[in-house]
Amino acid sequence: MTNLMSKADYEKWTAETRPARMAWWREARFGMFIHYGLYSLVGRNEWVMSLENVPIDEYEKLANQFNPKPGAPREWARLAAQAGMKYMVLTTRHHEGFSLWDSKVNPYNSVNYGPKRDIVREFVDACREFGLKIGFYSSLMDWHHPDGWRCAFDTEARRRFNAYI
Protein backbone atom coordinates (compact mmCIF):
# COMPACT_ATOMS: atom_id res chain seq x y z
CA MET A 1 0.00 0.00 0.00
CA THR A 2 1.30 3.46 -0.83
CA ASN A 3 0.36 6.87 0.52
CA LEU A 4 0.96 8.52 -2.84
CA MET A 5 -2.11 9.82 -4.64
CA SER A 6 -2.80 8.85 -8.20
CA LYS A 7 -2.29 11.63 -10.72
CA ALA A 8 -6.06 11.89 -11.24
CA ASP A 9 -6.72 12.11 -7.47
CA TYR A 10 -3.96 14.68 -7.06
CA GLU A 11 -5.32 16.83 -9.89
CA LYS A 12 -8.83 16.59 -8.42
CA TRP A 13 -7.58 17.45 -4.92
CA THR A 14 -5.50 20.32 -6.30
CA ALA A 15 -8.43 21.75 -8.23
CA GLU A 16 -10.84 21.35 -5.31
CA THR A 17 -8.56 22.87 -2.70
CA ARG A 18 -7.06 25.65 -4.82
CA PRO A 19 -9.66 28.33 -3.93
CA ALA A 20 -9.15 27.78 -0.18
CA ARG A 21 -5.37 27.66 -0.51
CA MET A 22 -5.28 30.81 -2.60
CA ALA A 23 -7.65 32.60 -0.21
CA TRP A 24 -5.30 31.77 2.68
CA TRP A 25 -2.29 33.02 0.73
CA ARG A 26 -4.02 36.27 -0.31
CA GLU A 27 -5.02 36.94 3.30
CA ALA A 28 -1.56 36.08 4.65
CA ARG A 29 -0.04 38.70 2.31
CA PHE A 30 3.32 38.79 4.06
CA GLY A 31 5.96 36.09 4.16
CA MET A 32 9.66 35.43 3.75
CA PHE A 33 11.37 33.69 0.82
CA ILE A 34 14.84 32.49 1.76
CA HIS A 35 17.09 31.92 -1.24
CA TYR A 36 19.85 29.90 0.37
CA GLY A 37 22.52 27.50 -0.84
CA LEU A 38 26.17 27.18 -1.74
CA TYR A 39 25.92 30.32 -3.90
CA SER A 40 25.31 32.26 -0.67
CA LEU A 41 29.02 31.85 0.08
CA VAL A 42 30.01 33.54 -3.19
CA GLY A 43 27.71 36.49 -2.52
CA ARG A 44 26.87 37.42 -6.09
CA ASN A 45 23.84 35.47 -7.27
CA GLU A 46 22.32 32.00 -7.27
CA TRP A 47 23.25 31.45 -10.95
CA VAL A 48 26.97 32.09 -10.33
CA MET A 49 28.00 28.54 -11.24
CA SER A 50 26.43 28.83 -14.68
CA LEU A 51 26.90 32.52 -15.45
CA GLU A 52 30.57 32.50 -14.48
CA ASN A 53 31.27 29.05 -15.95
CA VAL A 54 32.57 27.64 -12.67
CA PRO A 55 33.59 24.00 -13.24
CA ILE A 56 31.64 21.46 -11.17
CA ASP A 57 34.72 20.16 -9.35
CA GLU A 58 35.69 23.71 -8.35
CA TYR A 59 32.14 24.65 -7.29
CA GLU A 60 31.84 21.44 -5.23
CA LYS A 61 34.52 22.79 -2.89
CA LEU A 62 31.93 25.24 -1.57
CA ALA A 63 29.98 22.33 -0.10
CA ASN A 64 32.54 21.76 2.65
CA GLN A 65 32.75 25.50 3.38
CA PHE A 66 28.95 25.87 3.65
CA ASN A 67 28.23 25.91 7.36
CA PRO A 68 25.16 27.83 8.51
CA LYS A 69 25.48 28.70 12.14
CA PRO A 70 23.42 26.48 14.43
CA GLY A 71 20.02 28.00 15.09
CA ALA A 72 19.98 30.19 11.95
CA PRO A 73 16.54 28.94 10.79
CA ARG A 74 15.17 29.64 14.26
CA GLU A 75 16.49 33.22 14.05
CA TRP A 76 14.85 33.65 10.64
CA ALA A 77 11.53 32.31 11.97
CA ARG A 78 11.66 34.48 15.08
CA LEU A 79 12.28 37.59 12.97
CA ALA A 80 9.54 36.63 10.53
CA ALA A 81 7.01 36.12 13.32
CA GLN A 82 8.01 39.37 15.03
CA ALA A 83 7.52 41.21 11.73
CA GLY A 84 4.03 39.75 11.38
CA MET A 85 4.82 37.32 8.58
CA LYS A 86 2.55 34.32 8.17
CA TYR A 87 4.80 31.97 6.20
CA MET A 88 8.36 31.21 5.11
CA VAL A 89 9.61 29.51 1.96
CA LEU A 90 13.08 27.95 1.79
CA THR A 91 15.10 27.09 -1.29
CA THR A 92 15.77 23.47 -0.37
CA ARG A 93 17.80 22.82 -3.53
CA HIS A 94 18.69 25.25 -6.29
CA HIS A 95 20.04 24.62 -9.79
CA GLU A 96 23.50 23.81 -8.40
CA GLY A 97 22.04 20.50 -7.18
CA PHE A 98 23.06 20.82 -3.51
CA SER A 99 20.24 19.59 -1.25
CA LEU A 100 19.76 21.11 2.19
CA TRP A 101 18.34 17.84 3.55
CA ASP A 102 19.38 14.23 4.04
CA SER A 103 18.60 12.96 0.56
CA LYS A 104 18.84 9.23 -0.09
CA VAL A 105 18.95 9.97 -3.86
CA ASN A 106 21.34 12.90 -3.90
CA PRO A 107 24.48 12.44 -1.77
CA TYR A 108 25.50 16.04 -2.61
CA ASN A 109 23.72 17.46 0.45
CA SER A 110 24.13 19.31 3.74
CA VAL A 111 24.19 16.12 5.80
CA ASN A 112 27.14 14.65 3.91
CA TYR A 113 29.03 17.93 3.46
CA GLY A 114 29.59 21.23 5.28
CA PRO A 115 27.37 21.51 8.29
CA LYS A 116 26.57 17.77 8.47
CA ARG A 117 23.03 18.81 9.39
CA ASP A 118 19.56 18.66 7.86
CA ILE A 119 18.89 22.38 7.33
CA VAL A 120 15.36 21.70 6.01
CA ARG A 121 14.48 19.85 9.24
CA GLU A 122 15.79 22.80 11.27
CA PHE A 123 13.73 25.16 9.09
CA VAL A 124 10.53 23.12 9.51
CA ASP A 125 11.00 22.86 13.29
CA ALA A 126 11.59 26.62 13.54
CA CYS A 127 8.53 27.48 11.45
CA ARG A 128 6.36 25.22 13.58
CA GLU A 129 7.75 26.70 16.79
CA PHE A 130 6.77 30.20 15.67
CA GLY A 131 3.44 29.26 14.05
CA LEU A 132 4.50 29.96 10.47
CA LYS A 133 3.23 28.09 7.44
CA ILE A 134 5.96 26.22 5.58
CA GLY A 135 6.86 26.36 1.91
CA PHE A 136 9.64 24.71 -0.08
CA TYR A 137 11.25 25.65 -3.35
CA SER A 138 13.19 22.87 -5.06
CA SER A 139 14.63 23.31 -8.52
CA LEU A 140 14.16 20.58 -11.09
CA MET A 141 17.33 21.77 -12.82
CA ASP A 142 20.52 20.19 -11.54
CA TRP A 143 23.85 21.39 -12.88
CA HIS A 144 25.69 18.90 -10.65
CA HIS A 145 24.03 15.78 -12.05
CA PRO A 146 25.89 14.39 -15.08
CA ASP A 147 22.69 14.36 -17.17
CA GLY A 148 21.47 17.75 -15.94
CA TRP A 149 22.64 19.55 -19.09
CA ARG A 150 22.55 16.62 -21.50
CA CYS A 151 18.85 15.93 -20.95
CA ALA A 152 17.93 18.92 -23.13
CA PHE A 153 19.17 17.18 -26.27
CA ASP A 154 19.84 13.51 -25.39
CA THR A 155 16.84 11.18 -25.01
CA GLU A 156 18.65 8.61 -22.85
CA ALA A 157 20.05 11.35 -20.62
CA ARG A 158 16.53 12.74 -20.25
CA ARG A 159 15.23 9.32 -19.24
CA ARG A 160 17.96 8.91 -16.61
CA PHE A 161 17.53 12.46 -15.32
CA ASN A 162 13.74 12.13 -15.06
CA ALA A 163 14.19 8.89 -13.12
CA TYR A 164 16.61 10.70 -10.79
CA ILE A 165 14.25 13.65 -10.28
Side-chain angles (χ1 to χ4, degrees):
M1 190 73 182
T2 179
N3 13 343
L4 296 177
M5 286 186 205
S6 70
K7 183 178 179 187
D9 286 344
Y10 176 76
E11 288 171 355
K12 181 180 180 211
W13 174 83
T14 301
E16 290 174 353
T17 62
R18 187 175 196 280
R21 289 181 291 114
M22 291 305 296
W24 178 89
W25 184 73
R26 284 187 189 100
E27 290 169 18
R29 298 177 54 98
F30 189 39
M32 183 185 294
F33 191 107
I34 302 166
H35 223 77
Y36 199 52
L38 301 183
Y39 47 84
S40 302
L41 293 170
V42 180
R44 287 191 292 283
N45 63 70
E46 69 278 8
W47 278 68
V48 69
M49 183 179 169
S50 176
L51 294 177
E52 297 182 20
N53 296 311
V54 180
I56 290 174
D57 58 340
E58 184 179 325
Y59 195 85
E60 280 178 340
K61 294 174 186 173
L62 293 173
N64 282 322
Q65 297 172 37
F66 183 72
N67 194 15
K69 72 178 182 176
R74 191 172 185 280
E75 287 182 34
W76 304 335
R78 182 182 52 77
L79 289 169
Q82 285 176 346
M85 294 181 193
K86 305 294 185 217
Y87 65 93
M88 288 181 22
V89 178
L90 176 66
T91 303
T92 61
R93 188 184 77 147
H94 205 269
H95 310 333
E96 66 196 4
F98 187 76
S99 299
L100 298 183
W101 75 91
D102 189 11
S103 171
K104 303 299 183 247
V105 176
N106 180 17
Y108 188 49
N109 67 61
S110 65
V111 173
N112 293 331
Y113 291 88
K116 306 274 194 242
R117 301 190 331 261
D118 187 332
I119 305 302
V120 174
R121 165 59 34 204
E122 293 175 19
F123 172 80
V124 168
D125 291 345
C127 286
R128 288 181 175 155
E129 179 183 348
F130 288 93
L132 300 164
K133 295 280 187 183
I134 300 162
F136 299 134
Y137 170 91
S138 182
S139 174
L140 294 179
M141 292 171 62
D142 189 334
W143 299 327
H144 189 260
H145 190 280
D147 290 320
W149 288 104
R150 286 185 223 132
C151 66
F153 53 85
D154 178 331
T155 305
E156 279 303 302
R158 187 175 311 114
R159 183 192 57 72
R160 290 188 303 265
F161 189 69
N162 284 340
Y164 162 73
I165 289 297

